[in-house]
Amino acid sequence: MVKAKYLLIGSVEPYSGKTGTILGLAPLLQDRGLALAYGKPIGTRLGDAATEDWESDVAFIRQKLNLSDARSPVLSLDTTTIEKRIRGTDTTDYQRILRQTFEGINGDLVLLEGAGTLWEGSLFNLSARQIAEVLDASILLVARYHSPLVVESLTKAAQELGDRLVGVAIGDIPPDQLEDTHSLLQPYLEQQGIPVLGLLPSSSVLRSVSVRELVRQLQAKVLCRPDRLDLMVESLTIGAMNVNSALEYFRQGFNKAVVTGGDRTDLQLAALETSTSCLILTGHMAPQPLIISRAEDLEVPILSVNLDTLAAVEIVDRAFGSVRIQEPIKVECIQKLMAEHFDIERLLH
């Protein structure tokens, strides 16, 4: 039996696109005849439902990619576990557990999803580099483009990862910056000995969030059209002006969420007449029956939240670009982007 090879997808900051990269990379590898498996050595989502979320993530990826095998995290980076390690009451050899968990996994290539950063898990001897050493894995580094200074974090990471690094992929590049990344950043990184395997343009679809996810994060009550919670929200608009100004303002956004007071019937009507994916009402006031009726007709969910406008806006704003990729439209989008903008042959070589 041929021993599986391992490829760890890592990043220098959270929400850089590791899961998306795996979802986009897998079909390209499967098309070339490779049997794939998946593993997530470290779970970093905190909270009571963290373990359930990990299991859901692993099950989703295994099912979506039709994988032969998938393994759940060997370590939870929750507050209790971290405190025990710092106090010295947890002396577990997590590298041994890691090796045992991933020994004999079925597949030609195992795609490992790294933690939020390359250094998370180092307290437990499970940093990205340490995981790679234990499993003899190669590392593909993904980064989200913020500015040309992305080269700083990538070159620093490359120095730390050494010959474990097989290449980097930069995503979420604004269309007006694509040419510069190809003509300036890519040659610079290549000169530093860092193979650039992918330069992926930004996508409003990938940065969007479903109404269902907003309901979960806002702990909102759904007042109508619970059957339309899979609508995607691409932008956020605050309704807090006079109705004449609001209508023009609302027309500028597409597939948007509008946050406004439950008593602002005029703004709610104006929002419903434009490209709105959901209304988020604050202020503990129920909307007028005519608003509910109009939203039902237009198939726009209305959410009621026990929050003030500022708090609601902050939660929605954080959700963009930092939610799990599980909606079919997002999976299809990242797979198309990877097929067009990622050099799979160079990776395999």
Side-chain angles (χ1 to χ4, degrees):
M1 182 177 179
V2 178
K3 184 175 181 290
K5 294 184 180 296
Y6 297 83
L7 178 65
L8 175 66
I9 315 300
S11 63
V12 295
E13 65 175 352
Y15 305 116
S16 294
K18 293 182 293 294
T19 304
T21 298
I22 289 171
L23 288 168
L25 188 59
L28 301 179
L29 296 167
Q30 290 168 326
D31 287 347
R32 285 153 179 82
L34 290 174
L36 302 180
Y38 167 81
K40 188 172 186 177
I42 298 178
T44 56
R45 191 176 299 125
L46 303 182
D48 295 336
T51 301
E52 184 179 331
D53 285 344
W54 299 333
E55 297 295 343
S56 173
D57 288 349
V58 172
F60 169 77
I61 290 178
R62 181 173 186 174
Q63 179 273 327
K64 191 69 183 177
L65 300 177
N66 192 27
L67 302 182
S68 58
D69 203 346
R71 303 290 169 93
S72 298
V74 301
L75 171 67
S76 160
L77 288 187
D78 56 53
T79 303
T80 301
T81 304
I82 293 169
E83 288 179 352
K84 285 181 179 178
R85 192 70 169 189
I86 292 172
R87 291 193 183 100
T89 56
D90 176 12
T91 58
T92 305
D93 182 353
Y94 286 99
Q95 289 192 355
R96 180 180 58 82
I97 296 175
L98 174 72
R99 190 178 296 108
Q100 291 174 344
T101 300
F102 285 93
E103 271 182 354
I105 192 167
N106 297 317
D108 300 318
L109 179 65
V110 184
L111 299 175
L112 301 171
E113 184 171 347
T117 73
L118 297 177
W119 308 279
E120 281 185 23
S122 57
L123 182 64
F124 305 85
N125 298 318
L126 288 181
S127 67
R129 177 66 191 248
Q130 290 167 321
I131 290 172
E133 295 288 353
V134 170
L135 298 176
D136 192 22
S138 300
I139 298 175
L140 171 64
L141 196 58
V142 297
R144 174 170 283 175
Y145 183 92
H146 299 295
S147 78
L149 287 176
V150 68
V151 299
E152 287 188 334
S153 57
L154 291 177
T155 51
K156 178 64 175 175
Q159 291 168 6
E160 295 193 21
L161 297 176
D163 58 5
R164 291 287 170 189
L165 182 67
V166 293
V168 302
I170 304 173
D172 202 20
I173 305 171
D176 61 349
Q177 298 292 317
L178 264 177
E179 185 177 340
D180 284 346
T181 58
H182 279 280
S183 62
L184 185 64
L185 270 62
Q186 183 170 4
Y188 175 82
L189 290 169
E190 296 279 358
Q191 288 167 9
Q192 308 303 310
I194 303 171
V196 179
L197 303 181
L199 295 172
L200 284 68
S202 59
S203 164
S204 59
V205 172
L206 290 181
R207 291 190 62 81
S208 65
V209 57
S210 68
V211 176
R212 186 181 311 280
E213 181 65 19
L214 292 182
V215 170
R216 187 183 74 84
Q217 293 203 21
L218 291 165
Q219 299 182 350
K221 180 180 179 181
V222 181
L223 301 183
C224 71
R225 297 316 300 241
D227 58 319
R228 298 292 283 161
L229 300 185
D230 289 329
L231 288 172
M232 303 304 292
V233 176
E234 297 180 10
S235 62
L236 171 65
T237 301
I238 305 169
M241 68 289 287
N242 67 66
V243 70
N244 292 329
S245 301
L247 195 54
E248 185 62 32
Y249 182 46
F250 290 158
R251 284 173 179 154
Q252 297 172 16
F254 295 93
N255 301 326
K256 62 185 177 295
V258 176
V259 180
T260 191
D263 59 338
R264 293 302 304 268
T265 302
D266 52 348
L267 293 181
Q268 294 160 24
L269 278 174
L272 289 172
E273 298 307 318
T274 60
S275 176
T276 298
S277 295
C278 71
L279 282 179
I280 301 172
L281 306 185
T282 62
H284 314 291
M285 296 187 67
Q288 294 294 320
L290 70 97
I291 297 295
I292 295 288
S293 175
R294 187 61 176 150
E296 290 278 4
D297 292 342
L298 295 171
E299 302 185 2
V300 176
I302 297 180
L303 315 183
S304 176
V305 298
N306 189 25
L307 299 164
D308 59 39
T309 298
L310 180 59
V313 167
E314 287 178 347
I315 291 172
V316 175
D317 199 44
R318 282 199 305 269
F320 287 116
S322 62
V323 294
R324 291 173 288 171
I325 294 181
Q326 292 201 354
E327 297 88 354
I329 188 173
K330 286 191 175 186
V331 175
E332 182 181 343
C333 179
I334 190 61
Q335 290 179 344
K336 182 178 178 182
L337 283 174
M338 288 290 286
E340 293 178 0
H341 300 282
F342 188 87
D343 192 342
I344 186 64
E345 297 300 338
R346 191 177 180 193
L347 173 67
L348 289 172
H349 177 72

